[in-house]
């Protein structure tokens, strides 16, 4: 799910929490690391770049987003707000 309107990487604070989006409930399980394929030159197939190291140097991490598991199925629509539940909140 692509979302906007929150500070960059604030979703990292959601790990271990539940999200309410539309009528669905998701549990955020972990951060998403970058794929090693980003190191491969598409023209040569050689690993000749290290964007992960560059991202770590510039931002202190190289993560891309978060992983979440659906714990209550529901409908999600464009424009739905994301509710972040505090630990233990229902």
């Amino acid at each position: 799910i692509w979302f906007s309107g929150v500070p960059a990487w604030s979703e990292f604070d959601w790990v271990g929490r539940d999200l309410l989006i539309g009528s669905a409930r998701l549990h955020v399980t972990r951060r998403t690391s970058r794929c090693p394929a980003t190191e491969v030159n598409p023209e040569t197939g050689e690993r000749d770049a290290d964007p992960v190291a560059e991202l770590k140097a510039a931002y202190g991490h190289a993560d891309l987003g978060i992983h979440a598991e659906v714990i209550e199925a529901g409908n999600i629509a464009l424009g739905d707000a994301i509710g972040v539940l505090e630990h233990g909140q229902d």
Side-chain angles (χ1 to χ4, degrees):
I1 298 173
W2 182 276
F3 56 90
S4 62
V6 297
W9 303 300
S10 61
E11 70 272 18
F12 295 163
D13 295 333
W14 302 346
V15 175
R17 296 183 176 177
D18 289 355
L19 305 178
L20 297 176
I21 309 172
S23 58
R25 186 171 181 153
L26 297 88
H27 180 73
V28 180
T29 58
R30 63 185 170 98
R31 290 163 60 155
T32 305
S33 58
R34 298 279 175 160
C35 174
T38 60
E39 301 169 1
V40 178
N41 183 322
E43 293 179 14
T44 65
E46 299 293 321
R47 288 185 181 229
D48 60 2
D50 196 356
V52 172
E54 294 174 25
L55 289 166
K56 284 182 182 178
Y59 301 107
H61 69 84
D63 293 336
L64 179 61
I66 54 175
H67 285 259
E69 296 176 355
V70 175
I71 55 177
E72 280 183 34
N75 294 317
I76 297 175
L78 184 65
D80 282 347
I82 298 174
V84 181
L85 301 179
E86 295 300 322
H87 299 284
Q89 183 183 4
D90 283 330

